[in-house]
Amino acid sequence: MVCALGAAVCFGTATVLQAVAARAAGTGGGGEAALLLRALRQWRYLAGLALDGLGFLLQIAALRSLPIYAVGAALASSLAVTAVVGTRLLGVRLTGSEGAAVGVVCGGLALLGLASGAEGGRAGSTALKYAVLAIAVAVPALGAAGGRLPGRGRSLVLGLGAGFGFGVVEVAVRLIDGLAPSTLLTNPATYALLLGGGAAFLLLTTALERGSVTVATAGLVVGETVGPAAVGVVWLGDRTREGLTWLAVAGFCVAVAGALLLARFGEAPAPAAQAAKAPLGRS
């Protein structure tokens, strides 16, 4: 759980650092490409990218030792980290309900920490590996269809698609049996991880640029937590500590519900007059 929470802290802090850099970079002219080039010259943006990379490594480590449902809920809590760090670095004020939501997320994670067992001992079948690859292939198609929808429907579908892509990454990590090149190249889960992760970033970028941040992030949280958790329990043998299944279910639901209440922080909060439009951070 330490690695999962560490990944959430990395992702959430990276979002705010990149927002600070983008706010400063947004004072010049030019389009989005010029904005990105200016942001890349700032140490905060580069530090945010480094934290994203570290968070991904911690996520992989967590998925190799914890049930998927615990890691997914912990990653969703990065929104709480963004909200708290944003109050320090961006001057964002949390409403009373949002402050309570941060506490709800922490409480849900505490319940999960008490109830979750070790990762499941079942090896993923070949059929499951190809099924995960098929879902990864379907994610871009879902994004293409969602991009044609109007308004909130587009944001929701694109956010869900991004969530499914990140969910594919969570499951694929568990389905990779070894790191030898011959093993990686012949494992469908390797290609699922690459395709799902890449498609997820693209869909999330589009969702945050062209629609409601709150709706897109809500779809993201649902997509990257519920499905992968079910796969872990049903097909990979993820379990809880003896007699504490009810506590794990309660913790998972509470943590995800708290994250949904913080969905507006899916794009780093910033004052409206200065906020950059580019999506920042992973979630």
Side-chain angles (χ1 to χ4, degrees):
M1 184 60 81
V2 172
C3 287
L5 293 177
V9 170
C10 287
F11 289 138
T13 304
T15 298
V16 179
L17 288 175
Q18 290 166 338
V20 173
R23 260 174 51 183
T27 58
E32 293 180 1
L35 171 63
L36 178 60
L37 288 175
R38 289 195 298 272
L40 286 172
R41 290 197 291 267
Q42 300 194 39
W43 71 266
R44 289 182 182 87
Y45 197 87
L46 296 176
L49 292 178
L51 283 174
D52 278 333
L54 177 59
F56 182 67
L57 294 177
L58 290 172
Q59 176 185 357
I60 292 176
L63 286 166
R64 303 298 292 184
S65 59
L66 284 176
I68 293 176
Y69 64 79
V71 178
L75 293 179
S77 75
S78 65
L79 293 171
V81 176
T82 297
V84 172
V85 177
T87 63
R88 300 283 185 179
L89 297 184
L90 293 172
V92 176
R93 290 189 177 183
L94 295 178
T95 65
S97 60
E98 288 169 343
V102 172
V104 166
V105 170
C106 294
L109 292 175
L111 295 179
L112 270 175
L114 290 172
S116 62
E119 66 168 333
R122 296 182 199 164
S125 66
T126 301
L128 179 59
K129 293 174 182 178
Y130 278 105
V132 171
L133 178 58
I135 294 172
V137 171
V139 168
L142 178 63
R148 299 189 182 96
L149 297 175
R152 288 179 175 269
R154 176 177 57 197
S155 297
L156 179 60
V157 173
L158 290 175
L160 276 173
F164 292 153
F166 287 125
V168 163
V169 171
E170 294 174 18
V171 176
V173 168
R174 287 280 297 276
L175 297 177
I176 293 176
D177 307 311
L179 298 180
S182 58
T183 301
L184 288 174
L185 293 175
T186 57
N187 190 338
T190 302
Y191 304 100
L193 187 153
L194 297 174
L195 180 58
F201 274 111
L202 289 175
L203 293 189
L204 186 58
T205 297
T206 304
L208 296 181
E209 283 181 340
R210 300 182 182 178
S212 167
V213 169
T214 302
V215 173
T217 305
L220 169 72
V221 169
V222 172
E224 74 174 344
T225 55
V226 178
V231 171
V233 171
V234 176
W235 284 286
L236 297 177
D238 287 349
R239 291 293 181 266
T240 65
R241 294 182 181 178
E242 186 68 28
L244 294 181
T245 299
W246 66 272
L247 189 63
V249 172
F252 178 85
C253 293
V254 166
V256 172
L260 290 174
L261 291 174
L262 296 168
R264 77 179 178 96
F265 293 98
E267 183 178 30
Q274 299 180 8
K277 293 295 185 180
L280 305 165
R282 177 194 151 286
S283 59

